[in-house]
């Protein structure tokens, strides 16, 4: 009965197995139905329920036909797509109605265990835990409360799950039994829970944390007076302490760091319906990418999710199903948080969440909901939660995230300077944990490292939850049998959020986005830094030393491997560091004997043993540091033997060639290369053009009229074409020729009546120096108009023959990276094919870039191609190469719509604007990653490459010793 999607309402008959017995009580349990429903059994209305993310349970004992009768039990369910509860369920996600979780039929004795609440209180030195188990007995059909104790026995026991089996793997319950928890008749139970209290004490308990998710098994039993077992309930429980200190959230006495993500329930085929394999996959990926916390956005999730988070070790904020966006546009209606008539509905949702999930160790905080304003009703919710469960914190962002209804300062998308300001506020004694930050919409998550630089170094800042985990697209079948990722509106659904729900770190099929590598890096628990000839390795775990890790090192000079090895270290305790002296390190002799220009050292930490979520050998941390250079870095020059060549002007063409080795033809009219061949093999088909435009990302479009995209459009940067003001041979010798070109960047279709100087947006002077060796040095001088906004990029574009599909580069990689999202991308030599460079974001835009590239080669399968590198004193480049043109990436609305071009479009950028990602609805690229409309000068070296040479060799020819 899972996943039944409906329109306005539907009635679903379901046949029940007729195995009921009059001596048993029968309960019908719906784990979740969206948004409301009525249920009938055998024509009798048994109830109504709403709240699409919490269970509803009905006793149907009196309406069932018992076994042995010829009559069949028929259940009919009418599901309402909308209800008044929908006004409290206006979250940003797919609105998919129906029965989306399990429906259970339960058989219980006449008197049974209705509920229980496991609590533990740790001694100050954690040497023992006092255990309490509140038990509620349902005896409504049998006896009074007093007679329960006379006729029944309530017991509880705690088992050590790790010792569940003996050495021969046979179950031995007695061996694993840790404590018997006895009934305490003198104590009453807490708020909202009237029943029986069982107490016990456990000496030297193993504590639960996300780092060490140690679990015990709790068993609660109900027996009759003769000792016969009548009912039993059991679950896994963790013993841990959540507490507060000034500006700190503590778990087991330590101020943990939240390295979190927000998670909607989403399956690419089943929508809001959960399957366990998908939940496990999420947790495996989260753990592998160093994520230790999840916020259930924005509703209670499937019960199995909590059990898995207990098992895997994941701190959790559990959130009530309350969100009220619709009221933002209804100023004439009193907001629910201010209206007493809504208080009961809001309270019911919070109580239902806490009562369902209270026994899960992973939950460290209860959330009162999301984006529902703030009012007296929230005060009531917070008051009930604090009274019911003082062992956890209360979280709520609404009303500015600093109201009395939250124990955590938990803002959304707060900027780094504001975080710093709050951390310094002596009047604010609560910790700051960002409930949402780094909006992962499309090609995003720039600036992430800046958040973690301040979090890692500032008291009172304890991390946050990235928005969000998974792209909420659904797999849609096309008429031709193919499939594509569909988003809002693709099913004709109105209203919809268009692509605004495509803001995950992974695709719907759980394939990681490139940004997830950056998340893994800033979240990694082993930190490495280098300063003053000392390498420091820090273990940021709070509960684990480094016994289970193997450390290794890897040293490179100019991209070439110098050496590697295992790094022998003493165990580093939690929150401790170990320093390695530079001159005593194993890589020091390699550094002293190398003549490279630049050196990089990588320190890696791997797991020695397999875990529940990964095999042994998994890399949990990898940091690259740049070692000092042994000599002054001087501008690069070409050191090549002089070679004679032919240079001639044929009409409006300039032809430069050397025998049958290479030939370059430039157009005097356009000032660009029309053809470049090496040994008859076509390399460049058109270029080299100035380029300042990129296919807009989602973040570029955020902010309406003030967005970067809007500013670029108004300035016509997206519509520039280049008029060749002049093109001439400046200097010519037997060994080189200089050709000077002046470009004017003018918007297409600009009024011809305007004088040229008024139309020009950007002037670019290019000098080609072509050497007899086949090298071309391209010197570019860019002069933008002073009234232009910041630019998407400053660089050159050219097109290569489509066979030049094998790319090798020395720079950051191997995955996509940009100026403000490159901390995880190590500098090394990488190889890929053009097709593999493309990143298939569901909505296309700028993608596939690689940052800080020193040199790059583009070759065909036979080894012929083009080499490009920085030259002179130019800084490393941002590159990308794609079969999809910038215009095509801008045109297509789905990745599947993209049409490959007939050649490869290559960009070599001197400057490229950052991606941003603080949010996706305002211009938020940090200042240092903007490309201001200033003059720029840079140089690039291009030359042919053959099977006989390599990029490494070519690069060394321009390094001055």
């Amino acid at each position: 009965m899972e996943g039944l999607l409906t329109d306005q309402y539907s009635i679903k008959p379901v046949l029940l197995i007729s195995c009921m017995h009059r001596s048993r009580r029968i309960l019908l349990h719906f784990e979740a139905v969206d948004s409301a429903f009525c249920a009938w059994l055998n024509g009798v209305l048994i109830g109504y329920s709403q709240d699409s993310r919490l269970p509803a349970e009905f006793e149907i004992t009196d309406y069932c036909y018992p076994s042995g009768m010829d009559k069949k039990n028929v259940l009919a369910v009418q599901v309402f797509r909308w209800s008044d509860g929908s006004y409290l369920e206006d979250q940003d996600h797919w609105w998919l109605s129906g029965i989306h979780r399990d429906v259970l039929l339960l058989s219980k004795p006449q008197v049974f265990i209705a509920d229980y609440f496991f609590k533990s209180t740790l001694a100050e030195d954690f040497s023992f835990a006092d255990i309490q188990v509140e038990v509620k007995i349902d005896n409504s059909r049998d006896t009074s409360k007093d007679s329960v104790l006379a006729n029944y026995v309530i017991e509880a026991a705690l088992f050590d799950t790790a010792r569940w089996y003996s050495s021969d793997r046979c179950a031995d319950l007695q061996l694993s039994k840790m404590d018997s928890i006895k009934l305490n008749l003198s104590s009453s139970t807490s708020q909202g829970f009237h029943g029986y209290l069982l107490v016990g004490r456990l000496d030297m308990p193993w504590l639960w944390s996300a780092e060490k998710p140690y679990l015990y098994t709790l068993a609660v039993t109900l027996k009759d007076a003769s000792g016969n077992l009548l009912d039993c309930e059991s679950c896994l429980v963790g013993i841990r302490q959540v507490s507060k200190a000034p500006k700190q959230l503590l778990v087991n006495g330590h101020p943990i760091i939240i390295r979190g993500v927000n998670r909607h329930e989403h399956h690419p085929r089943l929508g809001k319906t959960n399957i366990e394999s998908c939940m496990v996959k999420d947790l495996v990926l989260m753990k592998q990418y160093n994520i230790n916390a999840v916020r259930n956005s924005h509703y209670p999730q499937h019960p199995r999710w909590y059990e898995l988070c207990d098992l895997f070790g994941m701190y959790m904020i559990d959130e009530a199903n309350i969100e009220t966006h619709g009221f933002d546009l209804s100023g004439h209606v009193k907001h629910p948080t201010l209206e007493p008539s809504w208080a009961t509905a809001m309270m019911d949702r919070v109580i239902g969440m806490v009562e369902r999930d209270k026994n899960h160790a992973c939950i460290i905080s209860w959330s009162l909901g999301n984006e529902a304003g703030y009012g007296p009703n929230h005060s009531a919710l917070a008051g009930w939660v604090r009274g019911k469960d003082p062992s956890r914190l209360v979280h709520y962002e609404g009303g500015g995230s600093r109201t009395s209804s939250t124990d955590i300062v938990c803002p959304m998308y707060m900027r780094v300077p504001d975080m710093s300001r709050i951390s310094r506020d002596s009047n604010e004694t609560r910790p700051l944990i960002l409930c949402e930050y780094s909006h992962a919409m499309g090609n995003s998550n720039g600036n992430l490292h800046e958040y973690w630089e301040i979090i890692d170094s500032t008291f009172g800042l304890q991390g946050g939850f990235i928005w969000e985990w998974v792209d909420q697209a659904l797999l849609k079948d096309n008429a031709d049998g193919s499939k594509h990722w569909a988003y809002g509106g693709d099913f004709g659904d109105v209203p919809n959020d268009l692509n605004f729900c495509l803001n995950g770190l992974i695709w719907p099929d759980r394939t990681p986005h490139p940004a997830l590598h950056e998340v893994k890096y800033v979240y990694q628990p082993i930190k490495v830094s280098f300063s003053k000839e000392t390498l420091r390795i820090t273990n940021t775990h709070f509960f684990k030393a480094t016994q289970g890790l193997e450390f290794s090192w890897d040293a490179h000079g100019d991209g070439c491997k110098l050496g590697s090895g295992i790094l022998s270290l003493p165990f580093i305790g939690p929150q401790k560091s170990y320093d390695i002296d530079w001159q005593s390190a194993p890589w020091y002799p390699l550094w002293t004997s190398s003549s490279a220009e630049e050196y990089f050292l990588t320190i890696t930490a791997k797991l020695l043993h397999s875990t529940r979520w990964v095999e042994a050998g998994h890399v949990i941390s990898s940091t690259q540091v740049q070692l000092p250079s042994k000599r002054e870095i001087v501008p690069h020059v070409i050191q090549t033997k002089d070679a004679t060549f032919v240079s001639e002007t044929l009409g409006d063409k300039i032809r430069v060639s050397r025998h049958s080795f290479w030939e370059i033809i430039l157009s005097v009219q356009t000032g660009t290369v029309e053809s470049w061949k090496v040994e008859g093999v076509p390399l460049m088909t058109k270029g080299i053009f100035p380029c300042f435009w990129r296919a807009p990302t989602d973040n570029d479009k955020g902010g309406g009229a003030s967005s970067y995209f809007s500013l670029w459009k108004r300035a016509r940067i997206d519509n520039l074409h280049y008029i060749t003001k002049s093109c001439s041979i400046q200097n010519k010798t037997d060994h080189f020729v200089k050709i000077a070109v002046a470009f004017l960047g003018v918007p297409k279709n600009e009024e011809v009546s305007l004088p040229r100087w008024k139309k020009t947006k950007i002037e670019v002077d290019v000098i080609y120096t072509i050497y007899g060796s086949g090298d071309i040095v391209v010197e570019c001088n860019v002069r933008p108009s002073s009234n232009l906004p910041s630019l998407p990029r400053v660089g050159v574009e050219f097109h290569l023959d489509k066979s030049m599909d094998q790319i090798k580069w020395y720079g950051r990689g191997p995955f996509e990276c940009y100026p403000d999202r490159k901390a995880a991308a190590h500098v090394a030599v990488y190889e890929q094919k053009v097709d593999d460079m493309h990143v298939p974001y569901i909505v296309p835009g700028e993608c596939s870039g690689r940052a800080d590239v020193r040199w790059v080669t583009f070759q065909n399968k036979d080894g012929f191609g083009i080499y490009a590198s920085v030259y002179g004193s130019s800084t490393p480049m941002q590159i990308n190469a794609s079969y999809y043109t910038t215009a095509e990436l801008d045109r297509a609305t789905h990745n599947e719509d993209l049409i490959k071009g007939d050649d490869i479009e290559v960009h070599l950028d001197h400057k490229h604007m950052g991606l941003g990602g603080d949010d996706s609805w305002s211009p938020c690229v940090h200042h240092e990653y903007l490309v201001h409309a200033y003059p720029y000068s840079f140089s690039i070296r291009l030359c042919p490459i053959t099977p006989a040479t390599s990029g490494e060799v070519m690069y060394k020819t321009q390094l001055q010793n």
Side-chain angles (χ1 to χ4, degrees):
M1 291 180 63
E2 289 190 351
L4 303 179
L5 304 185
T6 71
D7 293 321
Q8 181 58 35
Y9 63 85
S10 65
I11 298 178
K12 300 289 181 180
V14 180
L15 185 66
L16 297 181
I17 38 178
S18 53
C19 59
M20 324 306 180
H21 194 278
R22 288 301 186 192
S23 64
R24 305 284 292 180
R25 295 171 64 180
I26 309 303
L27 306 177
L28 179 63
H29 184 96
F30 293 83
E31 287 193 336
V33 180
D34 190 332
S35 72
F37 71 99
C38 290
W40 292 264
L41 182 63
N42 299 325
V44 178
L45 178 65
I46 58 173
Y48 168 85
S49 180
Q50 62 188 50
D51 187 337
S52 60
R53 298 296 181 271
L54 282 177
E57 190 170 275
F58 309 97
E59 181 164 1
I60 60 173
T61 307
D62 294 339
Y63 313 110
C64 292
Y65 300 130
S67 58
M69 294 185 64
D70 293 335
K71 294 182 179 180
K72 294 181 178 180
N73 291 289
V74 176
L75 172 67
V77 181
Q78 183 181 26
V79 179
F80 299 92
R81 184 174 187 185
W82 309 115
S83 67
D84 60 349
S86 301
Y87 288 101
L88 296 178
E89 299 181 1
D90 196 7
Q91 292 95 348
D92 293 325
H93 67 150
W94 288 91
W95 296 324
L96 301 174
S97 300
I99 303 173
H100 60 95
R101 292 183 191 158
D102 293 339
V103 179
L104 308 174
L105 193 65
L106 307 175
S107 173
K108 284 287 189 175
Q110 293 295 321
V111 178
F112 64 91
I113 300 167
D115 198 2
Y116 58 96
F117 188 3
F118 174 85
K119 299 178 180 181
S120 60
T121 303
L122 284 162
E124 188 173 340
D125 61 356
F126 303 106
S127 60
F128 65 85
D130 284 326
I131 306 298
Q132 292 185 346
V133 183
E134 297 176 349
V135 181
K136 182 178 180 181
I137 301 297
D138 188 313
N139 62 313
S140 57
R141 287 178 168 248
D142 189 38
T143 58
S144 68
K145 179 178 180 181
D146 292 336
S147 63
V148 167
L149 295 179
N151 299 309
Y152 300 93
V153 177
I154 306 168
E155 296 178 337
L158 204 61
F159 298 89
D160 187 345
T161 307
R163 297 168 58 192
W164 197 268
Y165 296 97
S166 61
S167 57
D168 59 359
R169 304 305 295 165
C170 293
D172 188 337
L173 294 182
Q174 292 307 312
L175 177 67
S176 63
K177 189 172 182 178
M178 301 301 297
D179 192 28
S180 294
I181 303 166
K182 304 300 183 182
L183 189 65
N184 185 336
L185 297 179
S186 63
S187 301
S188 62
T189 54
S190 65
Q191 167 188 338
F193 198 111
H194 304 291
Y196 307 94
L197 182 65
L198 284 73
V199 298
R201 173 169 289 188
L202 182 63
D203 291 324
M204 301 305 296
W206 294 98
L207 303 184
W208 186 97
S209 68
E211 295 174 24
K212 293 183 175 182
Y214 203 94
L215 293 170
Y216 294 90
T217 297
L218 171 70
V220 182
T221 57
L222 178 67
K223 299 177 181 178
D224 63 19
S226 300
N228 298 312
L229 180 65
L230 298 178
D231 196 19
C232 180
E233 293 287 345
S234 179
C235 72
L236 293 173
V237 295
I239 296 173
R240 54 102 184 94
Q241 180 189 80
V242 179
S243 58
K244 295 182 292 184
K247 288 186 179 291
Q248 292 183 321
L249 180 159
L250 308 178
V251 172
N252 301 332
H254 293 282
I256 61 166
I257 297 297
I258 297 296
R259 301 179 172 109
V261 292
N262 286 271
R263 178 188 183 265
H264 265 290
E265 292 182 311
H266 183 80
H267 188 279
R269 270 293 194 188
L270 305 177
K272 306 307 292 186
T273 298
N274 290 260
I275 57 174
E276 182 166 337
S277 61
C278 187
M279 291 187 267
V280 170
K281 180 65 173 177
D282 280 349
L283 281 168
V284 165
L285 279 173
M286 288 178 187
K287 296 291 285 189
Q288 288 178 354
Y289 284 86
N290 294 326
I291 292 163
N292 73 350
V294 64
R295 175 177 172 230
N296 290 342
S297 52
H298 296 292
Y299 39 78
Q301 303 199 359
H302 192 287
R304 183 58 174 157
W305 174 246
Y306 300 78
E307 296 173 356
L308 292 170
C309 287
D310 288 338
L311 282 164
F312 279 82
M314 190 68 57
Y315 298 122
M316 177 188 290
I317 291 181
D318 200 13
E319 193 149 271
N321 187 19
I322 301 174
E323 187 162 344
T324 61
H325 279 300
F327 286 90
D328 296 342
L329 305 176
S330 305
H332 63 290
V333 178
K334 197 171 183 180
H335 197 278
T337 61
L338 304 170
E339 180 60 69
S341 62
W342 283 94
T344 301
M346 294 175 66
M347 184 69 78
D348 184 63
R349 289 163 183 263
V350 170
I351 291 175
M353 170 186 69
V354 173
E355 294 289 15
R356 190 196 71 165
D357 301 336
K358 57 185 177 283
N359 290 316
H360 291 285
C362 61
I363 301 171
I364 60 173
S365 178
W366 302 111
S367 171
L368 306 181
N370 181 67
E371 295 181 355
Y374 187 74
N377 290 350
H378 283 110
S379 298
L381 304 182
W384 184 90
V385 172
R386 286 169 175 150
K388 173 67 178 181
D389 183 20
S391 69
R392 296 177 172 101
L393 274 60
V394 177
H395 166 286
Y396 184 62
E397 180 273 339
S401 80
R402 300 179 75 178
T403 69
S404 61
S405 294
T406 181
D407 297 320
I408 304 167
V409 181
C410 49
M412 291 181 176
Y413 309 104
M414 180 172 278
R415 303 305 195 250
V416 170
D418 294 325
M419 294 169 62
S420 177
R421 177 179 53 81
I422 290 177
S423 72
R424 298 192 304 270
D425 184 353
S426 59
N427 294 319
E428 181 54 81
T429 61
R430 293 170 293 186
L432 190 151
I433 300 172
L434 300 167
C435 73
E436 295 178 21
Y437 80 109
S438 193
H439 198 261
M441 189 174 180
N443 191 3
S444 186
N445 301 104
N447 316 319
L448 190 58
H449 66 288
E450 295 193 12
Y451 277 88
W452 281 87
E453 285 167 5
I454 188 172
I455 289 169
D456 286 338
S457 61
T458 306
F459 179 78
L461 304 184
Q462 285 190 254
F465 300 87
I466 291 171
W467 187 268
E468 66 166 311
W469 177 239
V470 61
D471 281 340
Q472 293 181 60
L474 294 170
L475 198 60
K476 185 178 181 182
D477 298 313
N478 300 321
D480 62 359
S482 61
K483 307 176 192 298
H484 76 275
W485 294 124
Y487 50 86
D490 284 353
F491 294 94
D493 47 307
V494 177
N496 64 72
D497 281 334
L498 296 175
N499 67 320
F500 193 71
C501 290
L502 304 181
N503 39 35
L505 292 168
I506 59 175
W507 276 277
D509 63 359
R510 274 52 188 178
T511 302
H513 283 194
L516 193 55
H517 296 289
E518 193 83 348
V519 174
K520 179 178 181 178
Y521 177 81
V522 298
Y523 282 5
Q524 65 186 14
I526 304 299
K527 308 291 185 182
V528 179
S529 61
F530 179 79
S531 64
K532 298 181 180 178
E533 298 190 348
T534 299
L535 187 82
R536 170 162 291 180
I537 300 176
T538 301
N539 175 18
T540 70
H541 283 119
F542 288 95
F543 306 104
K544 290 198 300 188
T546 58
Q547 287 97 325
L549 300 179
E550 178 186 80
F551 289 87
S552 61
W553 63 273
D554 203 323
H556 285 78
D558 294 337
C560 299
K561 187 169 184 176
L562 301 178
S564 62
I566 300 299
L567 190 59
S568 297
L569 299 175
F571 295 145
I572 305 172
Q575 296 290 297
K576 301 295 183 181
S577 297
Y578 180 76
D579 291 345
I580 300 175
D581 179 68
W582 165 245
Q583 294 190 6
S584 62
W587 51 83
Y588 182 75
L590 301 172
W591 176 81
T592 57
S593 62
S594 173
S595 60
E597 181 183 46
E598 58 182 355
Y599 302 88
F600 289 94
L601 173 70
T602 303
I603 303 296
T604 300
K606 297 180 181 180
L607 292 176
L608 284 168
H609 310 289
S610 296
T611 69
R612 183 173 279 120
W613 45 272
V614 79
E615 297 290 336
H618 170 74
V619 173
I620 68 161
S621 300
S622 185
T623 305
Q624 186 180 68
V625 296
Q626 188 161 10
L627 301 179
S629 178
K630 293 191 299 183
R631 55 188 173 87
E632 182 183 358
I633 305 300
V634 295
H636 296 184
V637 297
I638 298 175
Q639 299 172 354
T640 118
K641 296 179 180 178
D642 292 334
T644 58
F645 62 98
V646 175
S647 173
E648 54 189 339
T649 302
L650 305 171
D652 63 353
K653 312 291 184 188
I654 299 175
R655 178 178 178 271
V656 186
S657 63
R658 179 184 167 196
H659 305 299
S660 59
F661 179 40
W662 56 266
E663 176 194 70
I664 300 172
I665 298 176
L666 290 93
S667 167
V668 176
Q669 289 185 338
T670 64
T672 61
V673 175
E674 288 193 345
S675 171
W676 188 352
K677 296 180 181 179
V678 173
E679 296 187 13
V681 177
L683 305 180
M684 190 178 292
T685 57
K686 57 180 177 180
I688 301 165
F689 301 95
C691 187
F692 306 95
W693 174 245
R694 75 181 185 190
T697 65
D698 290 310
N699 289 348
D700 290 341
K701 298 174 182 177
S706 63
S707 70
Y708 299 117
F709 177 66
S710 296
L711 296 176
W712 296 337
K713 293 280 282 188
R714 284 201 292 273
R716 307 292 300 277
I717 294 172
D718 65 320
N719 202 27
L720 293 181
H721 73 114
Y722 299 97
I723 297 172
T724 307
K725 181 180 178 182
S726 62
C727 177
S728 60
I729 296 177
Q730 270 196 339
N731 192 6
K732 181 179 177 182
T733 72
D734 290 339
H735 306 297
F736 70 85
V737 59
K738 283 184 182 287
I739 301 171
V741 183
F743 291 105
L744 301 178
V746 177
K748 294 177 183 176
N749 306 319
E750 197 73 71
E751 295 86 356
V752 292
S753 58
L754 287 175
R756 179 179 286 176
W757 64 271
K758 282 192 174 183
K759 294 185 290 186
T760 301
K761 298 289 185 179
I762 303 177
E763 297 182 49
V764 183
D765 294 332
V766 178
I767 297 177
Y768 298 101
T769 303
I770 306 175
Y771 294 88
S773 60
D775 287 280
I776 304 176
V777 172
V778 184
E779 301 173 66
C780 298
N781 293 285
V782 177
R783 296 183 302 280
S785 297
S786 59
N787 61 350
L788 289 179
S790 59
L791 305 172
R793 67 191 339 149
V794 172
V796 297
E797 171 193 329
F798 54 84
H799 291 243
L800 297 178
D801 186 85
K802 63 182 179 182
S803 65
M804 304 290 145
D805 67 338
Q806 299 182 54
I807 304 178
K808 190 175 185 180
W809 74 95
Y810 173 39
R812 294 194 181 272
F815 40 80
E816 175 193 78
C817 50
Y818 283 83
D820 58 352
R821 198 192 73 209
K822 64 181 183 181
H826 293 174
V827 176
V829 176
Y830 301 102
E831 289 186 77
Q832 276 189 317
K833 290 197 171 183
V834 170
D835 270 332
D836 297 330
M837 298 281 280
H838 176 71
V839 182
Y841 294 110
I842 295 172
V843 176
E846 165 64 34
C847 67
S848 76
R850 301 298 190 274
D852 295 343
V853 173
R854 282 76 165 159
W855 59 259
V856 58
T857 61
F858 306 90
Q859 293 172 277
N860 63 17
K861 61 182 177 59
D862 298 318
F864 291 95
I866 284 180
Y867 164 94
S869 72
V870 294
Y871 189 71
S873 57
S874 293
T875 54
M877 306 175 287
Q878 177 82 19
I879 71 161
N880 66 7
S882 178
Y883 287 114
Y884 306 115
T885 65
T886 300
E888 181 62 12
L889 291 168
D890 192 4
R891 178 200 67 83
T893 58
H894 295 74
N895 184 68
E896 293 74 16
D897 298 337
L898 289 170
I899 300 171
K900 286 186 177 181
D902 295 328
D903 51 27
I904 299 170
E905 183 174 291
V906 177
H907 288 270
L908 306 179
D909 295 332
H910 174 62
K911 295 287 183 181
H912 194 104
M913 193 179 93
L915 299 170
D918 290 0
D919 63 46
S920 295
W921 46 89
S922 65
C924 58
V925 174
H926 291 196
H927 179 80
E928 60 268 35
Y929 304 113
L930 291 172
V931 181
H932 300 283
Y934 299 155
Y936 295 98
S937 296
F938 60 96
S939 299
I940 297 170
R941 176 194 179 190
L942 301 169
C943 67
I945 191 168
T946 69
T949 187
S950 67
E952 291 91 339
V953 172
M954 302 296 291
Y955 186 62
K956 287 182 179 179
T957 64
Q958 67 191 51
L959 300 180
Q960 296 190 59
N961 295 323

